[in-house]
């Protein structure tokens, strides 16, 4: 038996088996192509790779299986980005990162997507797309491992360890013993030195580099995956398949945020006992733990995508049925050149539906990116919820409504087959409904949270606090009997520290309370450790209800927007157009938006965690001003996107979304059966030599 034909036996390629072992010479003469082309057909439609292949695997080379596994792989990918967003406030606190810098870090993946999506989509689109997608997921594995490794390099940090019972065990035994480090946060008669933080820029560069790597995989996965789905599926089923894959993909953020919520409930050093509650702003959760889980899941997803063939057998059959008698062999690959790419760009630039639809998407993304990335932070600052609660609400609850919206839209599109104009009109309606919902955010504030921050800032800026030299004191809030929060015991002018009968840390001799006319009795000039309680839960529930409605409505336009994008471009430009659109979205939307909104959020910071080298992360915000500025700015971009979708509606009058004649999908399979029989006989004859 010849080794050179070992991998082409019927046992390794059972999808060619029809149960027949002989083929007439008359049938052979009617078959197109020769043995070499048959071998190409076999290789291009064979499921599996390397050692991972066999008879049992070929049954999975179907449209439905690809949609399910592609959706699940996308689910894993979106889990990683959602997990990063869910833990971003913890990363800011741990590594003292301003919001503007965290915004820059979060767009690292979009920068690399912008630089690589169009080129990779153009060249890799003519290769083995599933394997390129698998390579893309391997970059996600690297992203997870690099991000999580920061904890093993730098540890939990001294600030977090100081808040554990194990770290301060010896001094806990005797509170009368004065701790010089602890006394630094009490009122000082002379200026104390600034806090030295060495090398904090290294984690920021590390996080940004990991994001850059993930962007290459993101561009490969989405650009090639959608084109592969559309090329290998029947047109009538495309809306349903897109909705199913999108639904599965949208489970990722929900699971990712839930995983973040679980990890953040554990202390950053799980083996130690923290002395503060989860609701305390100083709480740092085990943000690093989830990255280990996500790296394993991403690796499994990459291996699964490697299994799929270059072209599904059913898609090849349809393509052979539809080809012209004088056409070139289907295995011929078009020569690619930079000139061809420029011609494609020129064709797409003249396509008004494509241009307006892409611009509308970019403006929508620009406005809504603020909520995709900073919603947990928004909930924490506006409604005084813990990081775990904010992450769970953003992920599990709100994104569940997004999944329902995708499924409903897919069902409606598949059943009623609306026109391109109807889809564009719905996209515009969704934009204006989103603007209305965001305006509701402006009105949903919490008076207790607003007044808490204003009083804290007032206490920080008075002359009494200035005389205590509190500029470089760590954020360690204390609460007065009048329910006023001070940034630290130093800012309250406290001079002594002790324990009360309940075991709580109490600061006494807080002279700065009188400077705000809060209290005049020296005997009651004390403060308890921790922030004053604020009840914003009802406002939080109202905000969550509006957010869930917007998620439901917004998700319903995902399939319609993508269908218009797929159908308004010629088949030969499809993969490149998707890559070019992804590049434009990154350049004009995904990259500048987080940076811009991060800068906007930082502008309303009231209390910075100052260090010698920089001002670190923000601890308190002007919540009322921030609420107005953030929401009104985001709404303005989405409002303009609605008018661009109206322009899409105007130009899409002749655009066909569904095939009017699908008779080719119902043709007799006799010709395909003959091809399979002939191929089987060829392979057997070669194997017997």
């Amino acid at each position: 038996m010849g080794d050179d034909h070992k991998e082409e036996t019927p046992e390794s390629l059972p999808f060619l088996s029809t149960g027949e072992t002989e083929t007439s010479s008359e049938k052979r003469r009617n078959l197109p192509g020769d043995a070499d082309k048959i071998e190409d057909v076999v290789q291009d439609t064979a499921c599996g790779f390397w050692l991972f292949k066999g008879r049992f695997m070929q049954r999975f080379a179907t449209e439905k299986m690809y949609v399910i596994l592609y959706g699940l792989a996308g689910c894993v990918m979106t889990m990683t980005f959602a997990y990063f967003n869910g833990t971003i406030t913890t990363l800011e606190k741990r590594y003292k990162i301003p919001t503007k810098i965290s915004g820059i870090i979060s767009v690292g993946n979009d920068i690399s997507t912008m630089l690589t999506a169009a080129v990779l989509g153009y060249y890799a689109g003519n290769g083995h797309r599933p394997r390129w997608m698998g390579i893309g997921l391997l970059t996600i594995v690297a992203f997870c491992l690099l991000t999580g490794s920061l904890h093993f390099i730098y540890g939990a940090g001294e600030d977090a360890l100081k808040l554990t019972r194990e770290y301060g065990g010896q001094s806990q035994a005797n509170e009368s013993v004065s701790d010089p480090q602890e006394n630094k946060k009490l009122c000082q008669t002379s200026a104390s030195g600034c806090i030295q933080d060495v090398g904090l820029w290294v984690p920021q560069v590390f996080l940004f580099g990991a994001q850059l790597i993930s962007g290459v995989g993101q561009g490969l996965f989405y650009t090639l995956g959608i084109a592969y789905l559309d090329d290998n599926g029947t047109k009538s089923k495309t809306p349903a398949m897109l909705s199913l894959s999108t639904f599965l993909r949208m489970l990722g953020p929900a699971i990712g945020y839930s995983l973040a919520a679980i990890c953040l409930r554990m202390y950053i050093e799980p083996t130690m006992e923290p002395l503060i509650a989860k609701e305390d702003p100083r709480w740092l959760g085990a943000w690093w733990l989830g990255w280990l889980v996500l790296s394993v899941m991403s690796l499994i997803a990459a291996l699964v995508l490697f299994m799929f063939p270059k072209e599904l057998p059913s898609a090849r059959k349809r393509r052979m049925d539809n080809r012209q008698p004088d056409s070139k062999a289907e295995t011929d690959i078009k020569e690619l050149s930079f000139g061809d790419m420029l011609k494609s760009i020129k064709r797409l630039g003249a396509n008004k539906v494509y241009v307006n639809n892409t611009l509308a998407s970019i403006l929508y993304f620009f406005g809504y990116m603020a909520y995709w990335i900073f919603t947990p932070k928004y909930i924490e600052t506006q409604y005084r919820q813990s990081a775990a609660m904010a992450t769970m609400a953003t992920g599990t609850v709100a994104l569940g409504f997004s999944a329902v919206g995708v499924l409903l839209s897919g069902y409606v599109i598949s059943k009623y087959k609306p026109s391109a104009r109807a889809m564009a009109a719905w996209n515009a309606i969704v934009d204006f409904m989103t603007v209305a919902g965001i305006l509701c955010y402006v009105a949903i504030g919490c008076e207790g949270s607003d007044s808490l921050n204003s009083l804290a800032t007032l206490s920080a800026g008075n002359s009494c606090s200035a005389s205590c030299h509190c500029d470089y004191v760590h954020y360690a809030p204390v609460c007065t009997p009048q329910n006023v929060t001070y940034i630290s015991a130093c800012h309250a002018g406290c001079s002594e520290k002790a324990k009360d009968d309940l075991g709580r840390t109490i600061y006494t001799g807080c002279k700065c309370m009188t400077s705000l006319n809060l209290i005049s009795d020296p005997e009651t000039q004390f403060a308890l450790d921790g922030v004053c309680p604020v009840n914003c839960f009802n406002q939080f529930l109202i905000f969550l209800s509006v957010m869930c409605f917007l998620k439901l409505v917004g998700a319903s336009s995902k399939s319609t927007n993508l269908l218009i994008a797929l159908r308004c471009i010629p088949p030969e430009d499809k993969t490149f157009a998707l890559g070019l659109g992804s590049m434009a979205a990154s350049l004009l939307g995904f990259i500048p938006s987080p940076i811009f909104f991060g800068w906007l959020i930082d502008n309303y910071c009231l209390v910075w965690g100052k260090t010698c080298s920089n001002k670190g992360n923000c601890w308190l915000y002007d919540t009322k001003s921030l609420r107005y500025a953030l929401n009104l700015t985001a709404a303005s971009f989405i409002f303009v996107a609605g008018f661009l979708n109206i322009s899409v509606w105007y130009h899409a009058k002749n655009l066909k979304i569904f095939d009017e004649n699908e008779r080719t999908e119902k043709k007799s399979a006799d010709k395909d059966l003959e091809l399979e029989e002939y191929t089987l006989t060829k392979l057997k004859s070669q194997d017997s030599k």
Side-chain angles (χ1 to χ4, degrees):
M1 185 179 292
D3 291 337
D4 54 333
H5 299 295
K6 187 175 181 180
E7 295 183 355
E8 299 175 359
T9 61
E11 288 73 21
S12 65
L13 298 168
F15 71 104
L16 296 174
S17 177
T18 63
E20 301 289 342
T21 59
E22 295 181 2
T23 306
S24 66
S25 59
E26 180 180 357
K27 288 182 178 180
R28 294 182 189 181
R29 286 194 298 268
N30 294 331
L31 287 172
D34 53 19
D36 292 336
K37 293 179 180 178
I38 294 298
E39 291 179 12
D40 290 339
V41 171
V42 170
Q43 295 299 326
D44 289 349
T45 58
C47 197
F49 75 102
W50 194 40
L51 300 176
F52 306 98
K53 57 185 174 182
R55 182 185 186 90
F56 69 98
M57 296 187 62
Q58 198 59 37
R59 70 189 67 178
F60 300 115
T62 63
E63 296 175 30
K64 291 182 180 178
M65 187 56 63
Y66 172 77
V67 171
I68 293 173
L69 294 180
Y70 173 68
L72 291 176
C75 174
V76 175
M77 177 176 286
T78 54
M79 280 176 62
T80 62
F81 296 118
Y83 187 85
F84 181 83
N85 292 340
T87 57
I88 196 168
T89 55
T90 302
L91 288 172
E92 290 177 0
K93 295 174 185 177
R94 169 62 188 91
Y95 299 107
K96 297 178 174 58
I97 304 174
T99 306
K100 179 177 66 177
I101 301 300
S102 64
I104 294 174
I105 292 172
S106 66
V107 302
N109 63 328
D110 296 300
I111 293 175
S112 55
T113 298
M114 175 198 68
L115 296 176
T116 61
V119 176
L120 288 177
Y122 186 73
Y123 289 100
N126 290 277
H128 199 301
R129 288 182 283 190
R131 292 183 185 173
W132 277 105
M133 292 157 58
I135 293 173
L137 280 174
L138 290 180
T139 67
I140 302 299
V141 176
F143 160 61
C144 295
L145 293 177
L146 286 173
T147 305
S149 64
L150 274 179
H151 176 77
F152 300 99
I153 297 174
Y154 289 94
E158 187 177 1
D159 292 344
L161 294 177
K162 282 181 178 179
L163 299 173
T164 62
R165 190 172 301 278
E166 290 81 0
Y167 188 91
Q170 295 180 354
S171 61
Q172 293 284 338
N174 188 359
E175 284 294 332
S176 62
V177 177
S178 177
D179 186 354
Q181 294 296 326
E182 284 295 321
N183 285 337
K184 279 188 177 182
K185 63 183 179 183
L186 300 179
C187 186
Q188 302 291 312
T189 57
S190 61
S192 58
C194 64
I195 301 169
Q196 293 286 346
D197 282 315
V198 180
L200 283 182
W201 60 271
V202 178
Q204 298 175 20
V205 174
F206 214 78
L207 292 171
F208 183 75
Q211 289 281 342
L212 280 176
I213 293 174
S214 71
V216 178
Q218 178 180 247
L220 283 171
F221 182 81
Y222 289 119
T223 302
L224 301 179
I226 294 174
Y228 184 86
L229 186 152
D230 193 52
D231 291 341
N232 287 270
T234 54
K235 301 303 180 184
S236 60
K237 296 179 182 178
T238 299
M241 290 193 297
L242 284 175
S243 297
L244 177 59
S245 65
T246 304
F247 168 75
L248 293 173
R249 210 163 52 238
M250 292 187 69
L251 295 178
I255 301 173
Y257 278 117
S258 300
L259 178 62
I262 293 172
C263 294
L264 292 178
R265 285 195 175 97
M266 295 182 283
Y267 200 59
I268 189 171
E269 195 60 57
T271 58
M272 294 185 175
E273 180 185 354
L275 299 174
I276 57 175
K278 297 180 181 66
E279 293 73 24
D280 194 298
R282 294 168 292 173
W283 175 275
L284 294 179
W287 62 270
W288 54 273
L289 195 57
W291 291 116
L292 305 180
V293 178
L294 292 171
S295 61
V296 175
M297 297 181 67
S298 300
L299 179 61
I300 295 173
L303 294 177
V304 168
L305 283 181
F306 265 102
M307 305 291 184
F308 274 93
K310 183 177 181 180
E311 184 178 24
L312 294 179
S314 58
R316 179 174 284 273
K317 292 177 182 179
R318 285 193 300 271
R319 184 159 60 82
M320 291 180 64
D321 282 341
N322 295 333
R323 70 176 188 171
Q324 299 298 323
D326 58 345
S327 63
K328 292 183 178 181
E330 69 276 1
T331 54
D332 290 346
I333 299 177
K334 182 181 69 174
E335 288 292 332
L336 303 177
S337 67
F338 183 73
D340 291 333
M341 186 186 297
L342 293 179
K343 291 178 182 178
S344 297
I345 294 175
K346 186 176 180 180
R347 285 194 300 270
L348 294 173
N351 190 329
K352 294 182 179 180
V353 175
Y354 173 79
V355 171
N356 283 284
N357 189 61
T358 302
L359 290 177
S361 299
I362 290 172
L363 285 173
Y364 181 87
F365 291 148
F366 194 102
Y368 215 79
M369 276 291 288
Y371 304 103
W372 285 339
I373 296 179
F374 299 121
T375 292
K377 185 183 188 75
Y378 185 88
I379 293 174
E380 288 181 52
T381 57
Q382 293 287 334
Y383 307 110
R384 297 292 159 186
Q385 301 299 309
S386 67
M389 174 63 77
T391 302
M392 181 65 72
T394 304
T396 305
V397 180
L399 288 176
F401 281 81
S402 295
V404 173
V406 169
L407 286 180
L408 286 177
S409 65
Y411 171 77
V412 171
I413 294 171
S414 299
K415 183 176 179 62
Y416 298 103
K417 293 182 170 53
S419 64
R421 273 197 156 187
M423 292 183 180
W426 177 247
N427 291 343
I429 292 172
V430 167
D431 288 344
F432 294 130
M433 292 177 69
T434 302
V435 171
I438 292 176
L439 293 179
C440 292
Y441 287 169
V442 177
I444 306 172
C446 179
E447 184 178 353
S449 178
D450 294 342
S451 60
L452 173 70
N453 287 357
S454 61
L455 285 174
T457 308
L458 184 62
S459 66
N462 66 76
S463 58
C464 178
S465 296
S467 65
C468 285
H469 308 287
C470 308
D471 287 346
Y472 295 103
V473 173
H474 278 294
Y475 178 75
V478 295
C479 182
T480 71
Q482 290 71 35
N483 207 43
V484 174
T485 298
Y486 281 78
I487 297 170
S488 69
C490 179
H491 289 86
C494 305
S495 56
E496 298 180 7
K497 170 190 173 185
K499 289 279 187 179
D500 64 3
D501 295 337
L502 300 177
R504 298 176 300 179
T505 302
I506 184 170
Y507 299 92
T508 57
C510 305
K511 62 181 182 180
C512 291
M513 294 181 185
T514 57
S515 63
L516 294 179
N517 297 321
L518 297 175
I519 188 169
S520 56
D521 187 358
E523 295 183 0
T524 55
Q525 293 178 357
F526 69 91
L528 294 174
D529 192 28
V531 68
C532 292
V534 176
N535 186 7
C536 297
F537 193 70
N538 291 335
Q539 292 86 345
F540 166 63
L541 291 180
I542 297 173
F543 170 83
L544 186 60
S545 300
V546 177
M547 182 171 66
C548 289
F549 173 75
L550 292 185
K551 293 285 187 182
L552 176 68
V553 173
S556 67
S557 66
K558 291 183 180 295
S559 296
T560 53
N561 183 276
L562 184 55
L563 279 171
I564 292 175
L566 288 172
R567 296 293 182 262
C568 71
I569 50 183
E572 64 270 16
D573 291 332
K574 184 180 299 180
T575 303
F576 176 64
L578 291 175
L580 184 65
S582 177
M583 184 182 73
S586 298
L587 179 63
L588 302 176
F590 293 132
I591 293 175
S593 177
I595 299 174
F596 171 76
F597 282 105
W599 167 82
L600 184 68
I601 292 172
D602 279 346
N603 276 351
Y604 294 94
C605 180
L606 299 175
V607 178
W608 290 98
K610 294 182 180 179
T611 65
C612 294
S613 56
N614 57 42
K615 49 186 183 179
N617 62 293
C618 182
W619 288 104
L620 284 177
Y621 292 91
D622 181 354
T623 52
K624 185 175 181 180
S625 299
L626 175 61
R627 186 168 64 251
Y628 276 84
L630 178 68
N631 292 311
L632 291 177
T633 304
S636 63
F637 286 101
I638 299 175
F639 186 71
V640 178
F643 286 99
L644 284 171
N645 273 316
I646 293 176
S647 178
V648 174
W649 169 86
Y650 177 78
H651 293 291
K653 54 186 176 182
N654 296 321
L655 182 62
K656 302 296 182 184
I657 299 294
F658 301 94
D659 288 344
E660 295 180 355
N661 184 6
E662 295 181 322
R663 288 178 298 174
T664 56
E665 298 176 8
K666 301 177 182 179
K667 282 185 176 181
S668 173
D670 291 343
K671 184 176 179 180
D672 304 316
L673 184 60
E674 292 178 359
L675 175 62
E676 292 176 359
E677 292 174 346
Y678 173 72
T679 306
L680 176 63
T681 306
K682 272 286 186 183
L683 292 174
K684 282 191 173 183
S685 64
Q686 294 170 352
D687 187 53
S688 63
K689 291 180 181 180

